[in-house]
Amino acid sequence: MKKLVYGAIAALTLLATGCTGTFQLMQSVHRWHHGFKERWTDEACYLVACILPIYAAAYTVDTIFLNSVEFWMGTNPITMQTAEATITRLDANTALVQSKTTGETYTLRRNADGTYLLTDAQGNAVSAEIQGSLLTMTAAGETRTVMM
């Protein structure tokens, strides 16, 4: 019995070494509850996610299983759907976002009040939202998310 316990501990130690991955499941839960436009709905979903141990379960699954798989296989089983884009910083408050698939170019500017303005190549404003390292753009009814 001792050998089985020691073997299990050794296996878990080997599987968990150095695998502080991207925590895709945690990010998905966060994006879900943070995606509501009404702040009270957002708060209610956050409280539900905390009271029912949704965050704890997502963290546990990410830590023990998904990040280990990501470490050993190189990819996380839960991948964020992101647009392939290149983001080039032009100055402290301006960045150029270029889609690798369509070639579309957007300019992202941070305003003095902390808001962001995203414009297409013709100068038309495009809806943009930044949450952490994710930029979500909505143009012509199509939504794309890129990591910054």
Side-chain angles (χ1 to χ4, degrees):
M1 184 66 175
K2 277 187 174 180
K3 288 182 183 182
L4 181 64
V5 171
Y6 289 137
I9 290 172
L12 284 174
T13 302
L14 289 175
L15 286 175
T17 54
C19 57
T20 55
T22 56
F23 289 91
Q24 296 290 337
L25 185 59
M26 283 289 293
Q27 289 182 26
S28 296
V29 171
H30 177 73
R31 278 193 310 277
W32 167 77
H33 95 72
H34 202 65
F36 297 99
K37 299 210 183 289
E38 175 62 40
R39 71 182 197 161
W40 293 106
T41 307
D42 177 35
E43 180 66 15
C45 289
Y46 171 72
L47 291 173
V48 167
C50 288
I51 293 169
L52 299 176
I54 295 171
Y55 268 110
Y59 181 77
T60 302
V61 170
D62 254 344
T63 302
I64 294 172
F65 179 69
L66 298 174
N67 289 340
S68 296
V69 170
E70 182 178 1
F71 176 77
W72 291 104
M73 301 299 177
T75 58
N76 194 305
I78 297 177
T79 56
M80 271 191 297
Q81 293 185 354
T82 59
E84 290 290 319
T86 304
I87 299 175
T88 308
R89 185 175 293 259
L90 301 176
D91 61 39
N93 294 317
T94 310
L96 191 66
V97 180
Q98 183 173 18
S99 170
K100 292 180 182 177
T101 54
T102 64
E104 297 167 323
T105 303
Y106 300 93
T107 304
L108 179 66
R109 288 189 182 85
R110 180 175 36 204
N111 299 323
D113 62 355
T115 61
Y116 291 87
L117 174 66
L118 185 70
T119 56
D120 61 12
Q122 292 77 32
N124 301 321
V126 177
S127 172
E129 182 181 352
I130 295 181
Q131 291 180 337
S133 62
L134 296 177
L135 165 65
T136 303
M137 305 179 286
T138 304
E142 186 177 336
T143 300
R144 299 181 189 157
T145 301
V146 295
M147 291 189 78
M148 301 191 346

